[in-house]
Amino acid sequence: MDSFEKNILITGGAGFIGSHLVRHFVRKYPSYRIINLDALTYAGNLSNLRDIEECPNYVFVKGDICDGELVSGLFRTYRIDAVIHLAAESHVDRSVLDPFTFARTNVMGTLNLLHCARTCWGSLKEGFDGKLFYHISTDEVYGDLPITRDTAPYGESFFTEETAYRPHSPYSASKASSDHFVRAFHDTYGMPVTITNCSNNYGPFQHPEKLIPLFINNIVNRRPLPVYGRGENVRDWLYVEDHVRAIDLIFHARRSGATFNIGGFNERRNIDVIRTLISTVDRILGRAEGEDECLVTFVGDRPGHDLRYAIDSSLLTGELGWKCQVSFEQGIEKTVRWYLGHTRWLEEVTSGEYMKYYDTMYSGRK
Ligand code: NAD
Ligand code: TYD
């Protein structure tokens, strides 16, 4: 018999958000066994989890969420009670270059997990009782919002849980499709599911293909900062640990069939984020104020670039009492200091395959 109170399969646990979530659950809930299934693509890195790899309630399995035999085997071997599904291809620019990989992992991979969960749980005496499939998704499924004002909030409208899906990029289209499959398994087969749609995350261990770590790294190394378009697009930023605390709360609230938006009402124009990064890095490194402003380089816009994301998370704050705890200023200070102290991690993830991608993305982008 298992000595664990719960067996939770977390997919994508070697990635950015997944590694914070796995660490949080392994440490906070020693009575839960956490099984981390991750294919270790360019975005997955086991060094994100060195500090917990020896914990008795942690198991790592290298494998693909699209592999039906492997996933069914994990359900049987570990008697999985709940899935928290994060594994995905997550970068919009890559989805523009290669949409098929996004459809395979994000759509077919999610469908495979749902199918294995249904088959395994359906064969048990208790059926779906006490089970949960929790799908981690993005606000990008809602499309984008207009900018109508010069200061935050940059418009009157926000994404709510009722907003219709209007994805624009291949990434958001694949995530929207996976959300629909998760709801379909709830409505068709009665599977207990929860979906959350979160705004842009930032913090330690984020791959430096994304805006904040890419620009910190480039400022430190005095490389150009490729700002798409005029830098006026708006994103709603959330420190990754605030996201993890929300996932913990929602997971334990067990609201089958529910959707929650997660965001901290933290809208920023890209150009303002970039100025904050420059001044923070320069201050910490003792460089003259504004010295690195000259690195800002306006380049051609991202195709289909969403103008503004802004999340209304009042359902989550009102019903479950979640609050964003880390302000943007505190979060940026922690994040910059973390990247400055982890140059080896950065070297590791920016070598090899990633640099080939970086060259494809930015060479010739004027
Ligand atoms: P990430 O790219 O850092 O990590 C993704 C992880 O999934 C990696 O460890 C990778 O190895 C793994 N993976 C990829 N394909 C796989 C496959 N076929 N089988 C098994 N593992 C595979 O992503 P992230 O930024 O941590 O995002 C995690 C989840 O959260 C994603 O589902 C994403 O859509 C969602 N999300 C991200 C953000 C954000 O700002 N980063 C915001 C909202 C929602
Ligand atoms: P990103 O971190 O890729 O997240 P997302 O596209 O999921 O919002 O990008 C955040 C914003 O920064 C987005 O508006 C695109 C912009 N951006 C740049 O201007 N230059 C860059 O090199 C990158 C990676 C992003």
Side-chain angles (χ1 to χ4, degrees):
M1 280 299 278
D2 280 347
S3 54
F4 292 97
E5 185 190 335
K6 268 188 216 310
N7 291 294
I8 306 173
L9 177 65
I10 297 186
T11 69
F16 164 48
I17 302 170
S19 60
H20 286 272
L21 184 71
V22 166
R23 179 178 300 101
H24 175 91
F25 267 68
V26 165
R27 287 210 177 128
K28 185 169 172 195
Y29 302 109
S31 64
Y32 297 176
R33 177 161 56 188
I34 304 302
I35 299 99
N36 171 14
L37 171 63
D38 196 298
L40 300 182
T41 67
Y42 79 93
N45 190 344
L46 283 183
S47 64
N48 297 359
L49 290 165
R50 283 276 180 266
D51 53 330
I52 56 130
E53 66 189 5
E54 302 294 339
C55 292
N57 63 333
Y58 173 66
V59 179
F60 174 72
V61 179
K62 181 176 187 310
D64 189 337
I65 56 166
C66 299
D67 182 340
E69 221 170 291
L70 170 76
V71 175
S72 303
L74 292 179
F75 269 88
R76 283 192 302 269
T77 307
Y78 294 106
R79 300 182 196 178
I80 301 297
D81 302 297
V83 178
I84 309 182
H85 174 37
L86 295 94
E89 289 292 336
S90 67
H91 189 37
V92 173
D93 290 326
R94 284 182 189 260
S95 80
V96 175
L97 296 174
D98 175 18
F100 284 95
T101 305
F102 283 68
R104 180 187 177 277
T105 294
N106 300 359
V107 185
M108 294 307 290
T110 302
L111 179 55
N112 184 52
L113 285 170
L114 287 163
H115 174 74
C116 294
R118 179 185 160 227
T119 315
C120 175
W121 291 340
S123 70
L124 302 175
K125 206 167 60 258
E126 71 270 25
F128 288 138
D129 271 4
K131 306 291 187 276
L132 182 67
F133 191 102
Y134 181 175
H135 178 57
I136 305 298
S137 193
T138 165
D139 61 351
E140 304 190 23
V141 298
Y142 298 124
D144 63 353
L145 297 163
I147 295 178
T148 54
R149 298 152 46 106
D150 290 338
T151 50
Y154 286 90
E156 294 75 32
S157 47
F158 295 84
F159 297 138
T160 73
E161 289 78 2
E162 305 303 318
T163 304
Y165 277 29
R166 283 202 187 81
H168 296 134
S169 71
Y171 164 66
S172 52
S174 68
K175 291 297 289 187
S177 173
S178 64
D179 291 11
H180 290 318
F181 270 109
V182 175
R183 280 197 191 95
F185 269 62
H186 172 265
D187 297 349
T188 308
Y189 307 113
M191 184 185 283
V193 308
T194 297
I195 300 176
T196 52
N197 298 88
C198 187
S199 60
N200 284 63
N201 285 214
Y202 69 101
F205 298 114
Q206 186 169 35
H207 196 283
E209 63 187 357
K210 307 279 175 22
L211 178 79
I212 289 182
L214 173 69
F215 279 32
I216 294 172
N217 196 22
N218 283 11
I219 297 163
V220 171
N221 293 295
R222 296 221 153 101
R223 285 201 290 258
L225 307 175
V227 183
Y228 299 164
R230 300 174 54 77
E232 283 167 358
N233 301 61
V234 170
R235 295 293 180 265
D236 189 352
W237 295 97
L238 186 69
Y239 191 65
V240 62
E241 286 173 5
D242 274 323
H243 187 188
V244 164
R245 279 187 281 271
I247 295 173
D248 182 348
L249 197 64
I250 293 162
F251 176 80
H252 287 97
R254 298 202 154 256
R255 300 281 177 90
S256 174
T259 293
F260 290 98
N261 281 350
I262 308 174
F265 292 100
N266 246 315
E267 288 179 56
R268 294 281 188 291
R269 294 186 313 168
N270 290 343
I271 194 69
D272 298 328
V273 172
I274 292 159
R275 294 214 171 99
T276 304
L277 291 174
I278 294 172
S279 61
T280 309
V281 173
D282 284 353
R283 170 171 49 76
I284 295 174
L285 291 182
R287 294 179 183 170
E289 201 184 320
E291 192 177 334
D292 288 321
E293 288 278 341
C294 60
L295 298 174
V296 170
T297 310
F298 292 96
V299 298
D301 211 351
R302 171 187 278 175
H305 196 174
D306 284 337
L307 200 55
R308 169 175 169 250
Y309 301 144
I311 277 271
D312 177 350
S313 56
S314 44
L315 186 69
L316 175 61
T317 50
E319 286 207 5
L320 300 185
W322 174 84
K323 265 204 204 95
C324 172
Q325 294 179 12
V326 182
S327 71
F328 187 69
E329 290 66 31
Q330 291 167 331
I332 288 294
E333 183 80 19
K334 279 164 170 284
T335 304
V336 169
R337 287 188 184 277
W338 188 87
Y339 280 94
L340 292 178
H342 288 77
T343 44
R344 277 209 41 205
W345 183 91
L346 263 174
E347 276 162 23
E348 210 177 288
V349 298
T350 50
S351 59
E353 276 309 299
Y354 171 68
M355 284 319 289
K356 277 192 230 155
Y357 157 80
Y358 191 85
D359 291 344
T360 322
M361 264 318 290
Y362 295 108
S363 67
R365 193 161 190 162
K366 297 265 185 305

